[in-house]
Amino acid sequence: MKLKVLSLVAGAIALTLTATSFAVHAQTASPSPVLLAQGHGPWKDLNLSSLQESQIKDIHQQTWQQIENTVFTPAQKAQFEAAKQARKAAWQERKAQGQTGQQTGQQTGQHRHHRHGGGIFAKLNLSQAQKDQIKALKKSERQQIKAVLTPAQQQQIQQLHQNHQQRTPG
């Protein structure tokens, strides 16, 4: 059950990162809170407590509820929900076939943000005001998550982010 919830949150985070990149016009997004909470990749080295994982998950869910309920129009919200369901079905199909998202991306040469619905936000036709609202909400989310982390964890996140920026062209 916990894996199912975390998987759903991972999908939402992927969309969040996509939204952030569109909303801030391709500025580098901050580390994913779900990846933090799930302990994937370098995030596992942060040794998050169960409480921290729970708090990060809650912050993320609250942020997305705000985005969906205050930023999106009813039509955009319906379109977004349909896209999430389609992405979830595709992910479950890949999982049933024994492919992870990482394997799929390596096989196709695609980057993570493109695999996880890069076109969804373009299809929503977000106004500049909506993009600005999303950017502000995501900034607030990052600040709230930072407050959950210890100073040592914050420093590790900063270092990981800097390393990522140096490795990522453009």
Side-chain angles (χ1 to χ4, degrees), residues 21-69:
S21 65
F22 279 103
V24 300
H25 301 288
Q27 289 180 355
T28 303
S30 67
S32 166
V34 168
L35 292 178
L36 289 172
Q38 286 184 320
H40 285 281
W43 309 116
K44 68 182 179 287
D45 296 333
L46 292 179
N47 296 319
L48 295 173
S49 69
S50 296
L51 178 60
Q52 286 175 311
E53 290 176 10
S54 176
Q55 288 172 326
I56 290 169
K57 182 180 148 205
D58 289 346
I59 291 166
H60 178 71
Q61 287 176 336
Q62 290 169 4
T63 299
W64 268 100
Q65 285 175 350
Q66 283 183 291
I67 291 170
E68 289 184 36
N69 294 328

Side-chain angles (χ1 to χ4, degrees), residues 13 17 28-36 43 46 138 141-142 145 156-158 160-162 164:
I13 286 293
L17 291 175
T28 303
S30 67
S32 166
V34 168
L35 292 178
L36 289 172
W43 309 116
L46 292 179
K138 295 304 296 168
E141 177 187 45
R142 287 188 299 272
I145 289 169
Q156 285 177 289
I157 291 288
Q158 183 65 30
L160 290 168
H161 186 63
Q162 288 172 354
H164 177 72

Side-chain angles (χ1 to χ4, degrees), residues 1 3 15 23 37 44 47-48 53 56 61 91 94 99-100 123 125 128 131 144 149 166:
M1 179 67 180
L3 180 60
L15 284 174
K44 68 182 179 287
N47 296 319
L48 295 173
E53 290 176 10
I56 290 169
Q61 287 176 336
W91 180 82
R94 283 192 310 270
Q99 295 179 328
T100 65
K123 291 177 185 175
N125 273 339
Q128 187 59 48
K131 291 175 185 179
Q144 291 174 48
L149 302 174
Q166 290 171 355

